[in-house]
Amino acid sequence: IFKIVEFPTQGHKRCKLCEQETLEPISTEVQGTIPTWINGNLLRNGPGKFEFGNTHYNHWFDGMAMLHQFKIEEGRVTYKSRFLQSDAFKKNSERDRIMVSEFGTLAMPDPCKNFFQRFLSPIYFLITDSTDNASVSFVKYKGDYYVSTETNFMHKVDPESLESVEKVDWSKFIAVNGATAHPHYDPDGTTYNMGNSYGTRNLSAIYNIIKVPPERTEATDTLQGAKVLCSIVPANKSCPSYYHSFAMSENYVVFIEQPIKMDLLKIVTCKLRGKPLSEGIFWDPKQETVFHLIDKHTGQVISVKYYTKALSNFHQINAFEEDGFLMLDICASDDGQAINNYLIQNLRKSGDALDEVSVKLRTVFPRRFVLPLSVTMDTPTGQNLNTRPSSTATCVKISKDKVLCQHEDLHGDDLHEYGGLEFPQINYSRYNTRQYRYFYGCGFRHLVGDSLLKMDLKDKSLKVWYQRGLYPSEPVFVPSPDAVDEDDGVILSVVLTPTQVTLLFHNIIYDRAAGP
Ligand SMILES: *[C@@H]1O[C@H](CO)[C@@H](O)[C@H](O)[C@H]1NC(C)=O
Ligand SMILES: *[C@@H]1O[C@H](CO)[C@@H](O)[C@H](O)[C@H]1NC(C)=O
Ligand SMILES: *[C@@H]1O[C@H](CO)[C@@H](O)[C@H](O)[C@H]1NC(C)=O
Ligand SMILES: *[C@@H]1O[C@H](CO)[C@@H](O)[C@H](O)[C@H]1NC(C)=O
Ligand SMILES: [Fe+2]
């Protein structure tokens, strides 16, 4: 454990370090011993500044991006941070109020620009400047670090200085508006992501899978060579699904079309109607969830569709193929109303009020779907096709090209006690697309993560780290140098001790230092 000495204590209204840059590295107080083999930067990107003047940001995705760097070296740790100098940040600082509005906030100059912006490119031309504050996560393309948001823009950043090196517009390279903050990587560095494109005439959307080649030919390269691997037509083109990420196995990209829908017409007209954008986003539990499989090599969309009851899903754990099945492990909830529950007003509540809020939130659990890969004309209907040993998931062909799936819980009863599991992490480079045994995540008993969890899939047993009043963020697994076992290593997590919860970190990258 190391502590940042300047971290605020009782009495402070808000976390000072979260709202102010710390440009010069400060030292930290280390308790216990940090293994000397951990050398590198732990990079965090999360919303930092939530308030400019008197204007509040409502949605917890919406804070201005703050880049945090914890440099771990020889058992010592220094910390520094920097606001991403996005155009939105500059503008807000100058005027000291929010000039670029965001999801969920009404009575702003322009309520139509938001977190879900990539679904709205047709109106980019109608609205003046789109936001680029990039508060979502670090991603890597062609070996470079980008701070990605769900808008068209990404910032290429220097992981050492945390400075923005370049602002990159996706749409200059491919006709796709934005991409998720959770790409997938092949071992050679080929990157896959997803984004939408729009028909402007009658407001329709299609989903696209994007492929970015691994090699960087010029030093100034950004997304050159990116291409659309394939497109998928939404169940209803004027109401595409919201998606936060997707899954990838060795041969397939798996896209989950969930019944969190975006009514494009409502979204486009929200400004006229004086409504917040969140009005155009709705959870429709009457609709099923559809799993689409795309062949990574040919770009072909597999004609067989896999269905399950309505679920909402933000993060995938892993996906791998074995014995003719594709195991799809995701964090899912039966309730999709949650999106509007993350308003910052809720986070500002404390004590009993906060508990009350967390009760209303969806609980997210790890689940496995087993998808049979060779469903043909000859495959019998009406019977469970899952022949995997000791798996309780079911998959039943109900008609040509339609398979109905039911999940298996990837946890025991004890997980309920910790509020479910979100922000799943595995040892990605070694085990994504492969049979694996462990995953890590945060328990969400109190709206924000308040425990760190480790799941052992061998017997679905749970290991828990919990200390009252401490709020850990998404765990990152760092293997020990000569690790043989899958779980030989340490978990890094930024843990907050707030007097009032105002900050949620999301998405960490551990950037291993070169050399020993
Ligand atoms: C900041 O980025 C988030 C996430 O992309 C977006 O929802 C929000 O609108 C942006 N806010 C501002 C003020 O630019
Ligand atoms: C408009 O919608 C119709 C019916 O869904 C479709 O056939 C047509 O291709 C769409 N046009 C454009 C420009 O998207
Ligand atoms: C698509 O969604 C819109 C908006 O909810 C609805 O009016 C329309 O009927 C839907 N179309 C189909 C084919 O379901
Ligand atoms: C995954 O584990 C293997 C072996 O334990 C290790 O060599 C590799 O670096 C790990 N990768 C990550 C990203 O943790
Ligand atoms: Fe995420």
Side-chain angles (χ1 to χ4, degrees):
I1 294 180
F2 60 88
K3 268 190 188 166
I4 297 178
V5 180
E6 286 181 20
F7 217 78
T9 50
Q10 297 293 326
H12 280 275
K13 266 257 158 93
R14 291 186 305 269
C15 163
K16 249 201 317 185
L17 284 176
C18 313
E19 301 202 331
Q20 285 165 14
E21 294 178 306
T22 306
L23 296 175
E24 285 306 310
I26 57 172
S27 59
T28 64
E29 179 190 304
V30 176
Q31 297 179 349
T33 314
I34 296 175
T36 48
W37 53 262
I38 305 181
N39 284 295
N41 291 328
L42 179 67
L43 302 176
R44 293 250 46 172
N45 174 30
K49 204 167 170 73
F50 278 118
E51 287 171 25
F52 283 95
N54 289 324
T55 327
H56 292 238
Y57 277 56
N58 273 340
H59 196 277
W60 66 270
F61 293 115
D62 290 344
M64 309 304 294
M66 169 90 101
L67 311 182
H68 307 261
Q69 178 204 73
F70 303 90
K71 185 184 273 300
I72 308 175
E73 232 169 9
E74 311 269 317
R76 286 186 302 274
V77 185
T78 56
Y79 167 82
K80 74 176 180 190
S81 67
R82 183 183 280 277
F83 277 118
L84 184 67
Q85 296 293 314
S86 62
D87 297 345
F89 174 78
K90 286 179 203 150
K91 217 185 239 177
N92 289 342
S93 308
E94 271 163 31
R95 315 260 186 100
D96 201 28
R97 70 167 300 210
I98 299 170
M99 293 307 294
V100 192
S101 72
E102 80 295 347
F103 177 64
T105 306
L106 185 56
M108 289 294 129
D110 177 358
C112 287
K113 288 182 292 173
N114 60 85
F115 186 59
F116 293 86
Q117 230 162 10
R118 72 204 157 93
F119 291 92
L120 312 175
S121 73
I123 56 167
Y124 270 18
F125 307 105
L126 305 177
I127 349 177
T128 43
D129 44 0
S130 62
T131 72
D132 66 337
N133 72 47
S135 72
V136 180
S137 69
F138 279 102
V139 295
K140 235 171 150 177
Y141 291 107
K142 300 191 184 188
D144 291 322
Y145 289 93
Y146 288 86
V147 184
S148 149
T149 159
E150 298 200 32
T151 69
N152 265 9
F153 295 105
M154 295 194 301
H155 287 261
K156 187 162 155 181
V157 293
D158 177 339
E160 278 303 325
S161 70
L162 301 180
E163 277 172 86
S164 170
V165 183
E166 194 177 345
K167 179 172 162 182
V168 181
D169 181 353
W170 267 109
S171 60
K172 291 231 169 69
F173 300 95
I174 36 178
V176 169
N177 301 283
T180 78
H182 297 283
H184 278 288
Y185 306 97
D186 273 344
D188 71 354
T190 303
T191 309
Y192 299 83
N193 211 336
M194 283 195 66
N196 282 4
S197 51
Y198 297 90
T200 43
R201 286 263 184 74
N202 45 9
L203 274 184
S204 59
I206 52 173
Y207 315 118
N208 303 292
I209 316 263
I210 302 152
K211 190 170 175 178
V212 184
E215 63 290 340
R216 177 148 54 115
T217 41
E218 309 261 328
T220 53
D221 245 17
T222 53
L223 299 176
Q224 282 80 359
K227 65 168 193 187
V228 173
L229 183 63
C230 78
S231 301
I232 300 166
V233 179
N236 180 339
K237 283 173 99 174
S238 63
C239 275
S241 290
Y242 173 70
Y243 52 94
H244 185 81
S245 64
F246 58 98
M248 187 178 90
S249 68
E250 190 183 348
N251 297 299
Y252 299 96
V253 166
V254 186
F255 168 53
I256 302 179
E257 194 175 17
Q258 61 185 344
I260 297 180
K261 301 289 178 182
M262 328 247 331
D263 186 325
L264 296 180
L265 185 64
K266 268 200 178 150
I267 288 169
V268 171
T269 56
C270 73
K271 186 177 178 182
L272 280 173
R273 295 179 297 117
K275 301 285 189 194
L277 189 113
S278 46
E279 267 228 327
I281 299 157
F282 62 99
W283 162 243
D284 185 0
K286 291 188 297 302
Q287 296 195 40
E288 289 175 303
T289 304
V290 190
F291 303 130
H292 301 266
L293 263 51
I294 298 91
D295 184 315
K296 274 164 67 178
H297 313 291
T298 64
Q300 192 201 355
V301 184
I302 306 303
S303 60
V304 177
K305 300 294 171 200
Y306 304 86
Y307 291 79
T308 193
K309 66 177 193 227
L311 60 78
S312 75
N313 152 251
F314 282 75
H315 298 110
Q316 335 286 328
I317 307 168
N318 200 356
F320 63 95
E321 296 158 39
E322 213 172 74
D323 306 331
F325 293 96
L326 190 152
M327 270 55 71
L328 175 64
D329 296 353
I330 65 175
C331 285
S333 164
D334 294 328
D335 183 7
Q337 294 290 10
I339 193 81
N340 288 326
N341 286 333
Y342 288 92
L343 294 176
I344 281 184
Q345 289 100 303
N346 288 342
L347 293 183
R348 291 227 164 88
K349 292 182 182 158
S350 55
D352 292 348
L354 189 59
D355 285 341
E356 196 181 298
V357 169
S358 54
V359 170
K360 283 193 226 120
L361 281 173
R362 63 180 183 150
T363 314
V364 176
F365 291 104
R367 295 172 173 177
R368 170 167 298 174
F369 290 91
V370 177
L371 315 182
L373 288 171
S374 47
V375 175
T376 62
M377 297 293 280
D378 302 330
T379 308
T381 54
Q383 67 185 61
N384 183 11
L385 302 172
N386 183 9
T387 52
R388 302 268 304 164
S390 68
S391 162
T392 57
T394 62
C395 41
V396 178
K397 181 180 165 191
I398 52 169
S399 63
K400 182 178 178 288
D401 290 347
K402 188 163 178 180
V403 176
L404 201 60
C405 301
Q406 229 170 21
H407 72 268
E408 162 187 356
D409 286 332
L410 289 187
H411 63 90
D413 285 345
D414 52 350
L415 184 58
H416 289 267
E417 200 183 309
Y418 298 97
L421 184 150
E422 247 293 20
F423 297 131
Q425 287 287 328
I426 57 171
N427 171 338
Y428 187 90
S429 55
R430 174 81 162 251
Y431 291 100
N432 192 54
T433 78
R434 314 244 170 99
Q435 166 82 268
Y436 69 121
R437 180 166 165 187
Y438 302 103
F439 59 87
Y440 309 88
C442 283
F444 271 78
R445 212 168 1 191
H446 291 283
L447 183 62
V448 290
D450 74 338
S451 59
L452 288 170
L453 307 174
K454 173 187 179 185
M455 181 62 71
D456 183 348
L457 288 175
K458 200 173 169 201
D459 54 5
K460 296 182 184 167
S461 64
L462 197 61
K463 276 217 168 90
V464 181
W465 180 92
Y466 167 78
Q467 271 182 41
R468 199 186 156 80
L470 299 189
Y471 298 88
S473 64
E474 182 179 47
V476 169
F477 178 76
V478 183
S480 15
D482 305 308
V484 177
D485 291 336
E486 185 180 329
D487 62 342
D488 182 355
V490 300
I491 288 295
L492 301 181
S493 171
V494 178
V495 180
L496 303 177
T497 57
T499 49
Q500 201 182 354
V501 185
T502 56
L503 183 79
L504 277 171
F505 280 125
H506 179 36
N507 206 302
I508 329 184
I509 276 191
Y510 174 70
D511 175 34
R512 186 189 293 280

